[in-house]
Amino acid sequence: MLCWRQREETDMSKVLYEKDGRIARITLNRPEVMNAIDDEVPVLLEEAVKRADADDGVHVMVLSGAGDAFCAGYDLTYYAEGNGNGQATQDMPWDPIRDYRFMWKNTQHFMALWRALKPVVAKVHGHAVAGGSDIALCSDFVVMGENARIGYMPVRVWGCPTTAMWVYRLGPERAKRMLFTGDKVSGREAAEMGLVLKAVPEADLDAEVEALAARMASVPINQLAMQKMVINQAIEATGLMNTQRLATIFDGITRHSPEGLNFKARAEAVGWKQAVDERDRGTWDWTENGPIPGANR
């Protein structure tokens, strides 16, 4: 076991791992694309979480993102403009089980944060959006910068949050408010609605997370594990896994519905940035596959 002050660092490239005393620091590390998710990131994230969970010297994990954001979601240059290895949209006829296997694996990689016996604090700056919000919300605590943004914009077209954590954190009405609109909200708004634990000025974010992690790090690992297991069991007993399975199936459907295929074709034609902008501003009718008359362009 490493002593309290000894530090251990490992470069896992797209996901960094550092042991700092009783705290394991896991960092999403694709800053050039705002830590967007490709095929490798979910696998490496779970490996880092399992490493920390198996280390008797680690009491707490802190999860963050390198560069300007926590995580901007799935890498649409990789998945929307052209098919990556995961081939997020298949050639027709679509095989729903092939799609389910692909996305269910990612859902379970993200849920390693939930399943870990030790607490995980997500430190969110910049953006935690789309799949990036899935990652953050699988953590035990989310602390955000007041001006950071969180949301799941693909609910407007081409997505359904597979981890389904919105309803468990917000309750039905506020979850519907977020998932019927695809709006992004600030850290301040997210804290006010109960989506995240706390929002603080960006200058205080590091100190706030360090204080919380240090406080928990003074508690025996077995005590932390027992409390986490009891609380998580209360959520799981409501049918969390069944909800996630349904959400993962629906996510595949959203990408292969007529509207989902129109979104992909639009991204291939004009680039994902323009297609996403049209989606998020509500200026494109994905059913008719053309501009919405009178929409503010």
Side-chain angles (χ1 to χ4, degrees):
M1 187 191 314
L2 295 178
C3 69
W4 176 263
R5 295 186 178 278
Q6 189 173 355
R7 296 167 73 95
E8 173 189 328
E9 298 184 22
T10 299
D11 184 350
M12 300 177 71
S13 186
K14 295 179 181 180
V15 177
L16 303 179
Y17 182 94
E18 174 189 1
K19 181 177 176 181
D20 181 8
R22 293 186 174 190
I23 298 172
R25 305 187 188 280
I26 301 171
T27 307
L28 305 177
N29 189 44
R30 300 187 73 212
E32 70 282 1
V33 289
M34 297 178 71
N35 302 313
I37 301 162
D38 64 6
D39 285 350
E40 294 180 297
V41 166
V43 176
L44 294 173
L45 174 61
E46 181 172 14
E47 288 177 359
V49 171
K50 286 183 173 179
R51 178 176 178 179
D53 216 30
D55 189 333
D56 290 339
V58 170
H59 290 230
V60 180
M61 302 175 220
V62 172
L63 174 64
S64 61
D68 295 330
F70 176 80
C71 178
Y74 280 87
D75 189 339
L76 293 188
T77 301
Y78 184 71
Y79 288 114
E81 287 187 5
N83 287 324
N85 294 333
Q87 198 172 359
T89 302
Q90 300 173 29
D91 298 330
M92 290 298 189
W94 165 54
D95 182 342
I97 297 304
R98 175 182 164 192
D99 189 284
Y100 173 80
R101 284 177 180 151
F102 165 63
M103 285 308 301
W104 184 249
K105 284 193 297 185
N106 280 3
T107 301
Q108 293 308 301
H109 290 318
F110 299 157
M111 283 293 286
L113 298 159
W114 174 271
R115 291 191 303 267
L117 294 177
K118 299 166 185 177
V120 183
V121 184
K123 178 171 64 176
V124 172
H125 74 294
H127 287 78
V129 293
S133 68
D134 276 333
I135 293 174
L137 297 179
C138 284
S139 303
D140 299 298
F141 306 96
V142 182
V143 181
M144 295 182 66
E146 287 182 339
N147 297 320
R149 309 287 285 180
I150 189 168
Y152 204 100
M153 304 86 71
V155 294
R156 298 187 62 83
V157 72
W158 220 60
C160 177
T162 64
T163 64
M165 285 298 178
W166 293 85
V167 67
Y168 292 101
R169 285 178 171 266
L170 286 175
E173 190 167 15
R174 288 189 174 91
K176 288 175 182 177
R177 179 261 178 271
M178 294 300 298
L179 300 185
F180 289 179
T181 65
D183 288 345
K184 300 187 293 289
V185 296
S186 69
R188 186 180 302 106
E189 293 172 288
E192 289 172 353
M193 69 171 64
L195 179 64
V196 303
L197 177 67
K198 184 178 289 190
V200 298
E202 274 67 16
D204 299 333
L205 182 59
D206 287 345
E208 188 71 31
V209 170
E210 289 305 304
L212 177 60
R215 179 65 175 163
M216 291 187 291
S218 66
V219 177
I221 292 171
N222 54 19
Q223 287 292 122
L224 294 168
M226 287 186 283
Q227 312 316 322
K228 179 169 178 176
M229 290 172 70
V230 168
I231 296 167
N232 283 10
Q233 173 58 29
I235 301 299
E236 290 166 10
T238 67
L240 172 60
M241 179 170 286
N242 292 335
T243 302
Q244 290 180 335
R245 287 192 186 278
L246 182 63
T248 301
I249 292 169
F250 279 174
D251 186 64
I253 293 173
T254 67
R255 285 178 276 106
H256 296 86
S257 67
E259 292 81 3
L261 294 176
N262 286 340
F263 174 79
K264 183 175 186 295
R266 183 70 174 162
E268 290 170 340
V270 301
W272 71 265
K273 289 185 178 180
Q274 181 173 331
V276 165
D277 183 64
E278 292 167 344
R279 177 197 70 190
D280 294 354
R281 288 194 296 119
T283 59
W284 196 265
D285 185 325
W286 300 104
T287 303
E288 298 298 328
N289 204 23
I292 295 176
N296 179 16
R297 301 183 62 79

